[in-house]
Amino acid sequence: MRHTLNAIGLPLLAIAAALGVFGVFVSFAGVNPVDVWVLLFKGAFGDWFSWQNTLQRAAPLTLTALCVAVPARAGLVVIGGEGALVLGGLACAVAGHSLPLPAGLVGTLVICLAGALAGALWVALAGCLRQFRGINETISSLLLAYIALGLFRHLVEGPLRDPASLNKPSTHTLSEGLRIGGIAGSDVHWGWVLGVLACLGLGGWMRWTASGFSVRVVGGNPRAAQLVGLPASRLIIGACALGGACAGLAGAVEVAAVHTNANVSLIAFYGYAGILVSFMARHNPLAIIPVAILFGGFGAAGSLLQRRLGLPDASVLVLQGIAFMLILASEALRHVDWHSRLHRLRPGEKLA
């Protein structure tokens, strides 16, 4: 019971505190914090249009958060989802243009698989560097993300550039038959469904399968995993590949459903926001879904804050940054037994 309250209560408390600190921050710009809080809610969840925008932004967050959550269950801190996302989007665009694919579901699945494969190989490289060369996966995945961004820009602006793209360099546009459409005619594309299914599937895999349990054992107690003969290196690299595949799929979905080609707009920092989503969800794939909706809503409300209150659209990034710091700080309180501490507070007694 105490663990459940901490797991749910502390993140909610951190978000509430972040909103409070953000309110103080915007007050220095002469804006009423209450107006900001109201517009954040309206811009995210106020009507059906807001919900569509929120879910559209939440779709890539569910997948990039899995890029952090799955390796985290194997004991790794991988933060290179942004690199896997852009390479996945690039692979999707290249496959859609260069391969003779049939229009429809089969062709769309192939280009999405191409994106997932690119992301899997890229993040698996961080796992290989950790296991075989002893290089810290947090540093290597971050540096690999910067390499991926540079490689993406070079290819999009150079060898893979569509000559017809003048002011905004991009790859060739996907054909209509390969694109991912909206659900029931709405602006919410099927990538949201893919993200939810990925969270449910990986959550079930970790909870109810032997291989998922083995990954958790490796992450929770490497020495015990070694003693029982689990293939730690294979499991760790596999977890990295699975996480990278999710981020690569996010990039493919963004290309096939939103941008229709690979261009600089694909660098929207969904990979970095996914780190925050995963940490707030405690690396639980099932908890990622509501957290992604929350932060997708924050992103959707940014333009409303700009139009109504004159705040920069990027001000929501400040809110996300504050939330990230407070969520990390709340980890220090996670194992505190508040009931026993309050019970020991008696008149005339001091807290030990």
Side-chain angles (χ1 to χ4, degrees):
M1 182 66 177
R2 179 173 62 86
H3 176 76
T4 303
L5 289 175
N6 280 345
I8 298 174
L10 287 177
L12 291 178
L13 185 61
I15 289 297
L19 288 170
V21 174
F22 185 65
V24 174
F25 177 79
V26 298
S27 67
F28 289 120
V31 178
N32 188 342
V34 176
D35 293 337
V36 172
W37 297 329
V38 170
L39 285 178
L40 277 172
F41 177 80
K42 286 184 177 180
F45 312 112
D47 52 29
W48 175 231
F49 176 80
S50 300
W51 268 103
Q52 290 183 88
N53 199 3
T54 293
L55 293 179
Q56 191 179 74
R57 290 171 181 266
L61 290 178
T62 58
L63 293 166
T64 55
L66 288 172
C67 185
V68 181
V70 177
R73 289 306 184 95
L76 277 67
V77 181
V78 171
I79 57 174
E82 187 73 13
L85 183 147
V86 297
L87 291 184
L90 183 62
C92 167
V94 171
H97 175 70
S98 59
L99 298 178
L101 299 174
L105 181 60
V106 173
T108 304
L109 286 176
V110 170
I111 61 174
C112 286
L113 286 174
L117 180 61
L121 293 174
W122 195 254
V123 178
L125 181 57
C128 291
L129 289 172
R130 187 271 177 80
Q131 289 303 110
F132 302 127
R133 303 301 299 173
I135 299 174
N136 182 277
E137 75 281 353
T138 306
I139 296 173
S140 65
S141 61
L142 180 61
L143 295 180
L144 283 170
Y146 282 112
I147 294 172
L149 291 173
L151 185 63
F152 174 83
R153 290 179 181 273
H154 168 71
L155 293 174
V156 168
E157 296 174 7
L160 300 179
R161 178 175 179 173
D162 180 5
S165 61
L166 301 176
N167 296 328
K168 189 175 184 180
S170 62
T171 60
H172 292 271
T173 301
L174 290 177
S175 63
E176 188 72 33
L178 296 178
R179 298 177 193 174
I180 297 175
I183 302 173
S186 69
D187 290 336
V188 183
H189 53 72
W190 286 97
W192 164 245
V193 176
L194 288 176
V196 171
L197 290 177
C199 289
L200 295 176
L202 287 174
W205 169 69
M206 287 182 181
R207 187 178 180 87
W208 292 308
T209 67
S211 57
F213 177 73
S214 299
V215 168
R216 289 190 287 126
V217 170
V218 169
N221 194 329
R223 182 170 177 77
Q226 215 172 24
L227 290 174
V228 298
L230 290 177
S233 294
R234 189 173 68 190
L235 289 169
I236 286 174
I237 295 171
C240 289
L242 269 177
C246 291
L249 179 60
V253 166
E254 284 295 291
V255 167
V258 180
H259 303 293
T260 71
N261 55 40
N263 57 66
V264 72
S265 297
L266 194 60
I267 307 175
F269 305 111
Y270 285 126
Y272 297 122
I275 302 170
L276 172 57
V277 172
S278 181
F279 270 86
M280 184 174 176
R282 294 287 297 159
H283 309 307
N284 184 335
L286 301 181
I288 282 173
I289 298 171
V291 177
I293 293 175
L294 175 64
F295 282 91
F298 286 162
S303 59
L304 189 62
L305 294 179
Q306 185 180 38
R307 292 196 307 271
R308 298 283 184 86
L309 302 177
L311 293 172
D313 187 26
S315 60
V316 293
L317 296 178
V318 177
L319 173 59
Q320 291 182 3
I322 295 170
F324 190 43
M325 289 189 296
L326 291 177
I327 288 168
L328 290 179
S330 70
E331 290 297 307
L333 305 175
R334 183 165 298 278
H335 301 292
V336 174
D337 189 347
W338 295 108
H339 179 74
S340 63
R341 289 200 168 231
L342 290 173
H343 182 70
R344 284 152 54 188
L345 280 176
R346 296 282 192 271
E349 293 185 5
K350 293 183 178 180
L351 183 61

